[in-house]
């Protein structure tokens, strides 16, 4: 199993376990995220992620990489890195539209030429731009904000560690009736253990981590990784808020 396969498994596990993305019963992801299991099974599962896999394929192609599960490609999509910065967002959006815009089904309904102004080679674009939930914010229901906030990759600082959970201070997404924004830091309790083990062993107080849904999925080892994820999120929020303001 490669570093990139394990990294993908860490980020993809939570929505897959909830039944939102990828194939049913992908136990290979859970095992791989804990550092054991079959790399070939991770590849097979990853190919069945309707969202993440096409993005990582295109990122790899534009970056001159041969493997969509190359560790830098995986990091580029989920949290951002130097590879993300080198990809022109307009070219990326255009290529993504050429590839997927004509696909049948509701999944890619909102990937249209009008959305190219928001395009970026990141998970944040997929959540805030392609997914339908940002278009349901003005209904007044709480679910759109909750789904957008849970589905995006969040960052936080560990303030308490238990056997199965951790308490993390993070900034949650808020909607004021017109704009999405990041709120003030507050503590939340997230899961850190599955039946196969923990994704981030040796977790310590004060460490920066990544969160997906209600799960602590990765250690952000450098301040730069946190800064890139925050910058990508803020940039995507600005673009989405521009669309919301335009009606």
């Amino acid at each position: 199993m490669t570093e990139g396969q394990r990294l993908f498994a860490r980020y993809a596990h939570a929505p897959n376990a909830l039944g939102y993305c990828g194939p049913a019963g992908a136990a290979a992801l859970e095992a791989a995220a804990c550092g054991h299991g079959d790399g070939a099974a991770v590849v097979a599962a990853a190919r069945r992620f309707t969202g993440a896999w096409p993005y990582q394929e295109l990122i790899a192609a534009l970056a001159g990489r041969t493997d969509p599960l190359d560790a830098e490609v995986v990091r580029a999509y989920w949290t951002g890195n130097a590879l993300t910065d080198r990809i022109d967002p307009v070219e990326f959006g255009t290529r993504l539209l050429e590839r997927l815009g004509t696909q049948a089904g509701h999944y890619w309904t909102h990937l249209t030429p009008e959305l190219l102004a928001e395009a970026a080679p990141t998970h944040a674009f997929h959540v805030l731009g392609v997914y339908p939930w940002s278009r349901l914010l003005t209904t007044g229901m709480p679910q759109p904000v909750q789904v957008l906030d849970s589905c995006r990759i969040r960052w936080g600082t560990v303030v308490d560690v238990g056997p199965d959970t951790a308490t993390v201070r993070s900034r949650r997404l808020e909607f004021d009736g017109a704009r999405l924004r990041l709120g003030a830091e507050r503590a939340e309790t997230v899961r850190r253990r599955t039946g196969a083990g923990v994704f981030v062993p040796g977790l310590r107080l004060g460490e920066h981590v990544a969160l997906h849904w209600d799960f602590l999925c990765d250690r952000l080892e450098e301040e730069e990784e946190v800064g890139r994820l925050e910058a990508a999120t803020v940039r995507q929020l600005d673009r989405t808020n521009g669309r919301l303001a335009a009606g």
Side-chain angles (χ1 to χ4, degrees), residues 9 23 26 28 41-42 56 70 76-77 91 149 186 188:
V42 175
Q56 291 178 198
D70 176 288
Y77 171 66
E91 181 182 5
D149 192 39
R186 60 184 176 89
E188 61 174 307

Side-chain angles (χ1 to χ4, degrees), residues 74-154:
V74 176
R75 175 70 67 191
Y77 171 66
W78 291 103
T79 64
N81 58 10
L83 199 61
T84 316
D85 297 342
R86 295 201 297 269
I87 296 174
D88 179 72
V90 175
E91 181 182 5
F92 180 85
T94 301
R95 293 274 296 273
L96 191 68
L97 182 62
E98 290 172 351
R99 175 176 177 176
L100 298 170
T102 58
Q103 284 196 5
H106 68 280
Y107 193 83
W108 297 101
T109 297
H110 300 292
L111 181 62
T112 65
E114 290 72 28
L115 198 64
L116 291 182
E118 293 181 55
T122 63
H123 181 65
F125 165 61
H126 193 62
V127 172
L128 293 167
V130 176
Y131 275 176
W133 294 98
S134 65
R135 295 155 184 89
L136 302 174
L137 288 166
T138 55
T139 62
M141 297 186 298
Q143 289 88 348
V145 177
Q146 292 169 358
V147 172
L148 290 171
D149 192 39
S150 298
C151 191
R152 74 183 177 96
I153 306 302
R154 311 189 303 283

Side-chain angles (χ1 to χ4, degrees), residues 188-211:
E188 61 174 307
T189 299
V190 293
R191 294 183 301 124
R192 61 180 294 259
R193 181 179 296 276
T194 71
V198 297
F199 293 9
V200 182
L203 191 64
R204 301 185 302 275
L205 299 184
E207 285 195 295
H208 300 300
V209 293
L211 313 169

Side-chain angles (χ1 to χ4, degrees), residues 222-243:
E222 300 176 8
E223 288 285 349
E224 180 186 2
E225 289 184 339
V226 177
R228 284 186 181 278
L229 178 54
E230 182 174 6
T233 302
V234 170
R235 182 168 57 248
Q236 205 64 51
L237 287 172
D238 287 343
R239 293 171 178 173
T240 298
N241 282 327
R243 168 167 50 82

